[in-house]
Amino acid sequence: MGVASYDAIIVGAGHNGLTTGCYLAKAGLKTLIVEKNDWIGGAAVSRSLHDGWTYSNCSYVCSLLRREIVRDLELPRFGLQVIPYEGGATFTEDNDYFAYMSDHNALEREIARHSPRDVDAYARFSQTVMRQCRFIRPFLLRHAPDPTSLHPRDLGELAFLVKKAHGLGAKELGETIRFWTMSIGDFLDEHFESDLIKAHLAGSGIIGTGLGVYSPGTAYVLLHHYMGDVDGAIGAWGFARGGMGSISKALGMAFEEAGGEIRTGSGIDSFRVKDGKVVGVALENGDTFDAPIVASNMDIKRTFQRHVDPIHVPDDFTKAVNRFKIRGSSAKLNIALDRLPEFPAAPKDAPFLRGDLHCSTSLAELERGYDDWKDGRWSSEPYFDMLIPSQIDPTMAPPGKHMMTVFVQYAPYDLERGGVRSGQNWTDETRTALANCVYDKMEQAMPDIRQRIVHAEVRTPLDIENEVGLTEGNIFQGELTFDQLLFNRPVPGYSDYSTPVEGLFMVGSSSHPGGGVMAAPGANAAREILRRAGKGKSMPRFAA
Amino acid sequence: MTDTYDAIVVGAGHNGLTAATVLARRGKRVCVVEKSGQAGGMARTVDYAEGARGPEIAHLLYNLSPKVAKDIALRVETRKLPTIAMSPDGKHVEMAGDTLRFADGTAHPEAEAYAALRKRLVKFARLLGQLSDAPPPSLAEGLAGLRDIGGLARLGLNVKRLGKQDMREFLRIILSNAYDLLLDDLADGPVAGALAADAVRGCWSGPRGPGSVFTLLYRLGQGGDVLLPMRGMGAFETAAKDAGVEMRTRSTVASVMVEQDQVRGVTLDDGTILQAAAVLSSLAAPLTMQLAGARHFDIEATRRLQRMRAKGTTAKLNLVLSATPDMPGLSDAQKAARLIVAPSATHVESAFNPVKYGEASAAPVLEAVLPSLSDPSLCKDGRQVISVIAQFVPHAPDGGWTAAQRDDLSKRIIQTLEVHMPGLQDLITHSTLLTPDDIETLTGAPGGHWHHGELSIDQLLTVRPVNGLSRYSFGVRGYYLCGASAHPGGDVTGSPGRNAALQLLAEGVLS
Ligand SMILES: Cc1cc2nc3c(=O)[nH]c(=O)nc-3n(C[C@H](O)[C@H](O)[C@H](O)COP(=O)(O)OP(=O)(O)OC[C@H]3O[C@@H](n4cnc5c(N)ncnc54)[C@H](O)[C@@H]3O)c2cc1C
Ligand SMILES: Cc1cc2nc3c(=O)[nH]c(=O)nc-3n(C[C@H](O)[C@H](O)[C@H](O)COP(=O)(O)OP(=O)(O)OC[C@H]3O[C@@H](n4cnc5c(N)ncnc54)[C@H](O)[C@@H]3O)c2cc1C
């Protein structure tokens, strides 16, 4: 038998690779997706590691997933259901809490309980954030214009940007510039007086980043967490029923229905390149496949540092890839609980317990957590975003039992031990120590948490790298700082999903608009691939 | 009795003096009112002790605008100083222009990487530097309506002229952090440390903070040469006097008079009234608002001004020494250089950490110079003065500065220096510490801040000092902001002063 050949091959069955695959297959390309794991989904995955429980091992809540794509690919037909959750709380050391509630009057009362002045502040805060969301959302499903290019398409996109910006008016434009460049800490300090409320709102500005709450640019990261929606409710978050893997599963089914083929269980060894053009892939198990179009769903560092021979790309490009910043800063705990833990501070059955729960009570505490990370330690008082989705989605745990997801910020990839910083310092011992540090802090809200744990999966940045292939465990496939956003993402000159290797494209979160379970990079890349293949018309235009 | 002028300038800092001189040289009758007994503001030369003189706060020139110097006929003799990056292992490194070598003259392994990096940075910095000599671009008509020739449009044009490769690089790094930029090309030692320290000097930021590349470029805007002004910083005052500016020292402006939305003059704290159709204030923007009264500003402007961030992080230690200290590894000529103690970029970042929580660095980052070695006129009797800028120091620790805390800070600074100057302690005959709080008391700068307000991207250009008030004209007709809190920012540049004066003339206030 000769080498199997395809019109297109996608390396990696993360949700973005799957999205690209759907659009290529629907356009009639014979498309293969190869995935190193025995399962698909990458960081959007549900797995059962303890009998009866399902974990969303990596990503755990859904909001960024572009509505246009969900609709266009008919994902609900393949079982995708996103259930919104409401509310959340931050618990203090002295048995109090600040609760976020979606009921406007209840929220005002709760804010007033901590600071009467912050009621007005909150109104101004949410107005600004919503205005910025509305400004940015139309850009997510468009490619980022290259300001150094005189290409009509880039000029067209620039014109779109200018038009949008122009629509803002001078004052608002000034405020937009400020918002995009300031720190979440300064932004909150400008508005609020209550430390607790500030801490509650600040988390979204640092999740997944290598920045502290006082690092400029973190107000923008906050936006990354507010610009999504659930069923059109902007800023709302939800659970994918059955865990985040349901998103990948639905995408996989849509892909296969369109005629695509998925091969799991063997990763790629190398992208095969001839005369500057990609000709196919070689897998670790020795299989090789031919295709004139190959797309990588892996981050740009992994793609080019491990799987493309550097002789095929210019030195400048290699340099740009090498300096791409992709530092891991997050850990994850997935926990099986024998029943709901007690929250002594909260009213019985308080609805906000079904939302995102935290124990960090001041911006200074969050900033110190960042200082620890810079020095190669996990935060001694870690910030975490924890939820118990089984309260809303009963498929996640056996009846009466619960599943808890705990996202931990900050944990370094290159842990420091005895003066040496290395991923190899993550051992069973350090992993357990990290988990204990998180449990200690969780006891602030749930004194009985340790007794409730039946099983726990503790994932360090190294574990995330090893399993999902996210280099250094960076959850966004590359940091979301200005030097790596928009036309700079993944590297200047290649924000149009192409690479110096003809026919090789970057379709994962390393590309614009970046990380999160958004499917936008995958869809934007598919559009570019199809356009170059002369099939640009086969993909619908999403309204801006 | 009231005196009448064309314009009154509040504050005789170098920017107030520049603004006054620009106007006076165009025939206007100008009076500068200064609360202290000596002009110069943060840039003045004082008696450290018993005739040993030195720079009180600012000590070196690197960002002086040539346009300003020309416009006000500034006569300042300078001496170019190399920079020595002090290394904990004694292998100090000399940085002079694009050249890098060990202080003992031997080749440095990073010489090439350094030269390439610095050339690249200076090229970008000069581009930005052009923006300093004109008001910031206006957003009044939205981005599409940018028509200021001196503004962004021209920057855009020049950026295009850079060529695609450089332009990409410029757009990549401009908002990023110095730490990553430096360590992409350099090892994390004293050279990276010195550049990282330059990037954040005067700022409430560590080198890992996004925006620190901008502040590094800011200080390289005139090419990055470091100059010692001979005989001190008095040239601005001389220029003002030569131009016929009237000076009233030891007079504090209590308020600015406004009638029918038009400035009328100022009232001094002794009740004296000075009349003028234009008032230029070199005080920080929030104070400038207060002088006129918040009621003249809309509520949004008031709120924005009150929120302007100005958390000072630099202290000053001025020492008189009985003799030149020993500095193993440095030649006599090198002892007169700008000395930087910042062992690595990581060190600079770690030094920043405590100030976030109101504490001073345990091992502060230092920029020290012995001006008397180059300029014997400062002390004629064999004594030497050493002028040290120390970072990071909070404006005031919780509960304010106590004598013990001040002593402790002085000790830490001296100990950090003494590593490279053994025996220093025994040479000190006199020591003056200025904490950021002291600097605020002396000059009025909020937080004792170097730039009168943080030089962060969200307080720059069109949003400096705040959104809506960036073009010097300040809320009330005839009222102008001319100090470091205005565009382009602080340092001894003269640019805010000159730009404000020219803007006032262009707007026809005095015609
Ligand atoms: C712990 C964690 C929590 C998160 N939480 C959220 C959240 O709550 N909400 C949210 O929106 N986002 C969240 N994110 C971010 C989001 O999950 C990711 O940004 C997104 O899933 C990345 O998708 P992707 O398709 O671009 O890449 P990936 O999911 O990284 O997919 C890459 C795929 O390539 C495969 N691969 C790697 N190497 C090879 C090889 N050699 N050969 C073949 N295949 C290979 C991988 O196995 C993987 O399947 C989280 C991420 C993490 C890690
Ligand atoms: C520790 C430190 C070291 C520095 N070192 C350098 C350096 O080496 N090189 C460099 O380029 N820059 C340096 N700078 C920055 C630089 O000194 C300042 O940015 C610059 O001098 C500000 O000038 P200015 O004229 O705008 O304001 P200022 O110099 O602050 O002048 C304001 C003036 O207003 C007066 N005043 C205040 N209130 C009143 C009132 N109500 N009535 C009348 N007068 C009033 C004050 O007394 C003062 O004279 C340093 C800053 C600091 C804090």
Side-chain angles (χ1 to χ4, degrees), chain A residues 124 146-150 162 165-166 170-171 173-175 177-178 181-182 186 190-191 211 214-216 316 319 323 325 327 364 367-368 370-371 373-375 481-483 487-488 492-493, chain B residues 139-145 160 164-165 167-169 171-173 175-177 179-180 184-185 204 208-210 298 300 303-304 307 309 311 349-350 352-353 356-357 359 457-458 463 467:
Chain A
R124 272 185 284 121
D146 178 354
T148 68
S149 155
L150 293 175
V162 169
H166 189 59
K171 255 204 181 132
L173 194 51
E175 289 306 293
I177 293 170
R178 287 190 67 234
T181 55
M182 76 193 303
D186 288 330
E190 277 193 355
H191 287 80
L211 298 168
Y214 282 107
S215 304
D316 275 355
K319 211 171 140 204
R323 74 174 174 223
K325 299 295 179 294
R327 286 168 283 223
E367 185 70 19
R368 284 183 197 272
Y370 167 60
D371 291 346
W373 174 83
K374 285 191 295 190
D375 289 342
T481 44
F482 303 115
D483 50 328
F487 50 82
N488 284 325
Chain B
L139 294 177
E141 302 152 79
L143 267 184
K160 286 259 177 201
K164 203 159 180 144
Q165 208 57 30
M167 177 175 169
R168 286 216 163 105
E169 179 64 2
L171 292 173
R172 182 181 76 88
I173 69 168
L175 297 176
S176 68
N177 75 83
Y179 181 88
D180 285 342
D184 277 343
D185 289 340
W204 196 91
R208 293 185 81 140
D298 67 56
E300 258 181 273
R303 190 185 287 135
R304 287 185 185 130
R307 286 170 180 168
R309 275 176 289 113
K311 292 183 261 187
E349 181 68 27
S350 300
F352 170 55
N353 288 347
K356 297 190 279 194
Y357 318 107
E359 293 151 26
I457 309 281
D458 62 322
V463 286
N467 189 12

Side-chain angles (χ1 to χ4, degrees), chain B residues 342-382:
Chain B
S344 67
T346 302
H347 179 98
V348 179
E349 181 68 27
S350 300
F352 170 55
N353 288 347
V355 87
K356 297 190 279 194
Y357 318 107
E359 293 151 26
S361 318
V365 172
L366 307 181
E367 177 185 77
V369 63
L370 285 85
S372 49
L373 286 177
S374 310
D375 181 359
S377 77
L378 292 171
C379 16
K380 300 194 171 87
D381 47 11

Side-chain angles (χ1 to χ4, degrees), chain B residues 10-17 33-36 38-44 57-64 201 233 251-254 282-283 287 291 314-316 367 389 439 442-445 448-452 482-485 489-493 496:
Chain B
V10 187
H14 85 285
N15 276 316
L17 293 169
V33 185
E34 165 59 46
K35 80 173 160 80
S36 131
Q38 185 190 341
M42 289 188 186
R44 57 184 200 174
I57 300 178
H59 54 203
L60 295 168
L61 297 175
Y62 46 84
N63 224 345
L64 179 63
R201 189 167 300 106
M233 292 272 191
S251 307
T252 300
V253 172
S282 66
L283 312 195
L287 302 172
L291 280 185
T314 33
K316 188 75 201 297
E367 177 185 77
I389 295 173
I439 293 171
L442 269 175
T443 67
H449 199 285
W450 185 292
H451 298 280
H452 286 192
C482 71
S485 66
D491 289 351
V492 179
T493 67

